[in-house]
């Protein structure tokens, strides 16, 4: 099959941009409106997107600013939402976030296997380690776990979940009314995992799902994050401002995967892109400027407080002055470094910095026509910077409609994107192999397939 761009749609109901909820086109209650999420899912499927992606947090998302707040303060738990959305779509995948730090592998395995069954094979798990003391304080801790410890736990967590997904062999269920045999007991297997972080006997009480395993997604960019992604992920979301850094990441991930015996073609790298699309450059710029004008200073400052690690409080600083130094924290180290890089490379003031990252929090923002945006995506795709992209429309539904109605046809005209779905499962549409059950083949074969 000819290599095509893969596309995820990152569609929080409250919008991506910190001020999106203030835009007249964006429903003010979109974050908690099921009907609005249904509309977004159906539009994404009309655009032939591979998947609808949602990030998730386990604490109220103040972002550092409590007064006033914004639409990211509260929303739906994504697996619950996607289970409800699945019957209203046919091909669109659903990639939900779940934490390896604050969930047990059995719970994670159970809910994603269930989502995969409900959606007929369209589920994906975005593996996150979850940062922030505010979250830790909701789970019997005062402070977050150290960065390295979170990733060690994550690696074992994913290992256990994959073992649990193999509890039932694919043909274990007979369901023969006449003989009374519902399933073959010999084809149900205990997990019997005993590790540093988890002790899980198993088996999972959900049958093996249509994809065998839901697609595993990861987004870490630190060295620990890259190691976890190369070892476990099938799709990697990443944030870059320049093609050169995207190429370095892409090549590093592929080499790491190859080095541990994985097929690098089965590890898809998808940088985030936030597009402001216009029929002319002037129209695209007007859309960007209008949304930028809606940012409240306290929201912009609060956004940077969170992205710089939470120890630097920018309230009281001159917003037209430079970003002051901030010590690295145990939070998202790679994102903290990226925000600093953006500020330094562009000589941004605090105000200019929050205006630039307001739409995508460090992901690449493009302002231009459909042709100009397609040019950039094509350049990255054809030059070892991306296998596809996670699209972050700045506000909804207009930003998504613009991409589907203007950019998608241009990508199709160039032969870079599908004109129809290739399959029914998320794996089939992404071109990923069906994972072999570890109990039915030699373990070395399972490893090679991964």
């Amino acid at each position: 099959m000819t290599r095509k761009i893969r596309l995820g749609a990152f569609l929080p109901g409250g919008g991506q941009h910190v001020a999106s909820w203030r835009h007249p086109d964006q429903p003010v209650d979109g974050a908690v409106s099921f009907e609005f999420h249904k509309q977004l899912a159906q539009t994404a499927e009309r655009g032939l997107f591979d998947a609808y992606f949602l990030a998730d947090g386990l604490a109220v998302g103040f972002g550092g600013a409590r007064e006033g707040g914004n639409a990211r303060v509260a929303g739906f738990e994504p697996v619950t939402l996607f289970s409800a959305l699945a019957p209203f779509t046919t091909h669109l995948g659903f990639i939900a976030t779940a934490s390896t730090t604050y969930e047990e592998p059995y719970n994670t395995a159970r809910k994603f296997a269930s989502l995969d069954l409900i959606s007929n094979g369209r589920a994906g798990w975005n593996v996150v380690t979850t940062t922030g003391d505010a979250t830790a304080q909701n789970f019997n801790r005062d402070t977050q776990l150290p960065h390295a410890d979170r990733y060690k736990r994550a690696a074992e967590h994913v290992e256990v979940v994959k073992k649990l997904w193999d509890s039932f062999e694919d043909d274990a269920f007979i369901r023969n009314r006449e003989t009374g045999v519902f399933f073959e007991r010999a084809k149900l297997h205990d997990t019997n995992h005993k590790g540093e972080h988890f002790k899980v006997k198993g088996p999972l009480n959900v049958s093996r799902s249509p994809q065998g395993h839901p697609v595993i997604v990861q987004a870490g960019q630190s060295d620990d994050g890259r190691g976890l992604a190369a070892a476990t992920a099938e799709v990697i979301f990443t944030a870059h401002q320049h093609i050169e850094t995207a190429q370095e990441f892409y090549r590093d991930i592929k080499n790491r995967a190859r080095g541990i015996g994985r097929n690098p073609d089965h590890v898809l790298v998808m940088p985030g892109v936030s597009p402001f699309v216009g029929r002319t450059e002037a129209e695209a710029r007007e859309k960007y400027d209008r949304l930028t004008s809606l940012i409240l200073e306290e929201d912009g400052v609060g956004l940077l407080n969170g992205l710089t690690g939470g120890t630097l409080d920018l309230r009281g600083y001159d917003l037209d002055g430079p970003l002051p130094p901030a010590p690295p924290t145990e939070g998202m180290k790679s994102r903290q470094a990226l925000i600093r890089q953006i500020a330094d490379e562009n000589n941004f003031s605090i105000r200019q910095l929050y205006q630039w990252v307001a739409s995508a929090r460090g992901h690449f923002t493009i302002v231009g026509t459909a042709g100009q945006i397609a040019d950039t995506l094509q350049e990255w795709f054809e030059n070892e910077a991306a296998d596809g992209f996670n699209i972050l429309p700045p506000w909804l539904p207009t930003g998504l409609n613009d991409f589907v109605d203007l950019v998608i046809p241009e990508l199709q005209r160039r032969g870079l994107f599908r004109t129809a779905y290739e399959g029914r499962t998320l794996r089939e549409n992404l071109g990923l192999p069906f994972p072999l059950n570890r109990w039915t083949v030699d373990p070395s074969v399972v490893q090679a397939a991964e």
Side-chain angles (χ1 to χ4, degrees), residues 63-74:
R66 289 174 178 264
E67 295 77 14
N70 57 63
R72 296 206 309 276
V73 73

Side-chain angles (χ1 to χ4, degrees), residues 351-421:
R351 189 188 312 277
Q352 290 170 322
L353 180 60
Y354 74 59
Q355 288 174 341
W356 183 247
V357 302
S359 63
R361 299 164 304 285
H363 291 283
F364 189 30
T365 297
I366 311 178
V367 183
T369 65
Q372 290 170 327
I373 291 169
D375 286 344
T376 300
L377 301 187
Q378 182 171 2
E379 181 187 13
W380 286 40
F381 177 66
E382 292 180 344
N383 290 281
E384 294 188 330
D387 294 306
F389 303 90
N390 201 21
I391 303 301
L392 294 77
W395 81 105
L396 298 166
T398 308
L400 177 61
N401 290 335
D402 286 346
F403 194 88
V404 168
D405 295 335
L406 299 175
V407 181
I408 292 289
E410 179 62 22
L411 294 175
Q412 291 170 328
R413 186 187 68 77
R414 301 181 187 199
L416 295 169
F417 189 64
R418 64 167 63 94
T419 55
Y421 284 106

Side-chain angles (χ1 to χ4, degrees), residues 298-341:
E298 57 265 35
D299 275 349
V301 168
L303 177 66
L304 291 185
N305 283 348
L307 291 173
T308 54
T311 60
L312 177 65
D313 189 349
L314 294 170
R315 289 175 295 183
Y317 279 86
D318 178 8
L319 298 187
D320 296 310
L323 181 71
T329 74
E330 291 297 332
M332 295 177 64
K333 293 181 180 293
S334 60
R335 191 57 54 92
Q336 294 170 49
L338 180 60
I339 296 302
R340 172 60 60 182
Q341 173 193 328

Side-chain angles (χ1 to χ4, degrees), residues 227-238:
L228 178 65
T232 64
E234 297 166 290
V235 176
I236 302 172
F237 295 149
T238 181

Side-chain angles (χ1 to χ4, degrees), residues 51-350:
Y52 186 154
F53 167 73
L54 278 179
D56 192 35
L58 297 172
V60 171
F62 289 116
R66 289 174 178 264
E67 295 77 14
N70 57 63
R72 296 206 309 276
V73 73
F76 291 125
E77 189 283 313
V79 174
T80 305
L81 173 63
F82 285 160
S83 295
L85 288 176
F88 294 98
T89 56
T90 306
H91 295 90
L92 184 70
F94 294 102
I95 299 174
T97 296
S99 172
T100 58
T101 304
Y102 298 109
E103 290 195 19
E104 290 292 316
Y106 199 93
N107 297 106
T108 302
R110 193 167 187 256
K111 68 182 182 181
F112 279 94
S114 296
L115 177 59
D116 209 41
L117 286 165
I118 291 167
S119 64
N120 294 316
R122 293 183 283 138
W125 170 29
N126 179 43
V127 178
V128 299
T129 61
T130 308
T131 64
D133 293 343
T135 298
Q137 289 157 15
N138 290 334
F139 291 89
N140 301 309
R141 293 185 58 87
D142 293 324
T143 59
Q144 63 186 319
L145 288 172
H147 185 273
D149 290 351
R150 293 201 308 272
Y151 276 95
K152 289 178 182 177
R153 177 184 166 99
E156 186 179 341
H157 192 290
V158 174
E159 177 189 356
V160 179
V161 167
K162 291 170 71 175
K163 288 179 179 178
L164 286 164
W165 282 338
D166 284 345
S167 294
F168 286 98
E169 296 179 25
D170 293 287
D171 58 351
F173 287 89
I174 306 299
R175 300 186 179 96
N176 189 316
R177 288 190 177 95
E178 294 183 3
T179 64
V181 176
F182 193 79
F183 77 100
E184 289 189 45
R185 182 63 184 84
K187 294 185 177 183
L188 173 62
H189 305 277
D190 289 344
T191 304
N192 290 327
H193 177 90
K194 295 180 180 179
E196 179 182 354
H197 301 279
F198 302 106
K199 181 179 179 181
V200 181
K201 182 178 184 300
L204 188 67
N205 62 346
V206 181
S207 61
R208 202 161 192 257
S209 65
Q211 294 188 109
H213 296 172
V215 174
I216 294 181
V217 182
Q218 216 264 329
Q221 289 188 206
S222 65
D223 190 66
D224 287 334
R226 293 184 187 207
L228 178 65
T232 64
E234 297 166 290
V235 176
I236 302 172
F237 295 149
T238 181
H240 298 279
Q241 295 288 307
H242 308 289
I243 188 173
E244 293 80 10
T245 63
Q247 288 171 324
E248 184 279 326
F249 180 87
Y250 183 97
R251 292 163 181 164
D252 181 51
I253 287 292
K254 300 287 184 172
N255 287 334
R256 288 181 189 233
R258 187 182 294 110
I260 57 175
R262 297 188 68 195
N263 184 337
D265 293 337
H266 299 160
V267 184
L268 305 178
V269 178
M270 298 174 63
V273 172
S274 181
F276 288 81
V277 190
R279 288 175 172 80
T280 65
E281 284 188 65
E283 180 185 346
R285 176 57 59 178
E286 188 278 330
K287 290 178 177 180
Y288 176 83
D289 290 342
R290 183 179 189 187
L291 201 49
T292 299
S293 72
L294 298 176
I295 303 172
L296 300 175
E297 288 185 355
E298 57 265 35
D299 275 349
V301 168
L303 177 66
L304 291 185
N305 283 348
L307 291 173
T308 54
T311 60
L312 177 65
D313 189 349
L314 294 170
R315 289 175 295 183
Y317 279 86
D318 178 8
L319 298 187
D320 296 310
L323 181 71
T329 74
E330 291 297 332
M332 295 177 64
K333 293 181 180 293
S334 60
R335 191 57 54 92
Q336 294 170 49
L338 180 60
I339 296 302
R340 172 60 60 182
Q341 173 193 328
I342 294 170
D344 292 345
E345 285 184 349
N346 297 282
N347 197 28
F348 277 157
S349 67
I350 293 172

